[in-house]
Amino acid sequence: MAKQQQQGMAAVALVVLVVLAATAAETASAASCNAGQLAACAPAITAGATPSASCCSNLKAQQGCFCQFVKNPTYGRYINSPNARKVVASCGVSVPRC
């Protein structure tokens, strides 16, 4: 039962990430900042899976936008999650101090 509940929560988190990414793509204040590119990292962030090469590439491309993403209440909690920190570390991306 706990595993089903955990999988359900991961599925909900994935849907939320996709919706948030789409919203961020529409409202990004800087043309180069596009949280939608981080959707490739959703499986790694929500389920603790190994990040894909696409995820790591997109993280590196969006690295300069991390502070903007973290400060956004819509998806800051996902970026600050323990799994997100593992993904960033696995990809060799440094997180700036905001």
Side-chain angles (χ1 to χ4, degrees), residues 14-27:
L14 179 60
V15 170
V16 169
L17 275 175
V18 171
V19 170
L20 295 175
T23 302
E26 294 175 8
T27 61

Side-chain angles (χ1 to χ4, degrees), residues 4-16 42 46-47:
Q4 287 176 333
Q5 188 176 24
Q6 188 178 27
Q7 289 174 338
M9 292 298 292
V12 168
L14 179 60
V15 170
V16 169
T46 60

Side-chain angles (χ1 to χ4, degrees), residues 30-73:
S32 62
C33 292
N34 181 356
Q37 290 185 1
L38 302 181
C41 300
I45 293 172
T46 60
T50 302
S52 66
S54 174
C55 169
C56 291
S57 174
N58 289 349
L59 277 175
K60 290 174 185 173
Q62 295 297 308
Q63 186 174 3
C65 303
F66 286 172
C67 288
Q68 177 183 332
F69 297 155
V70 168
K71 291 176 184 176
N72 186 317

Side-chain angles (χ1 to χ4, degrees), residues 66-90:
F66 286 172
C67 288
Q68 177 183 332
F69 297 155
V70 168
K71 291 176 184 176
N72 186 317
T74 306
Y75 43 80
R77 66 180 182 189
Y78 295 104
I79 293 171
N80 286 320
S81 73
N83 279 345
R85 293 186 184 279
K86 290 177 189 174
V87 169
V88 170
S90 294

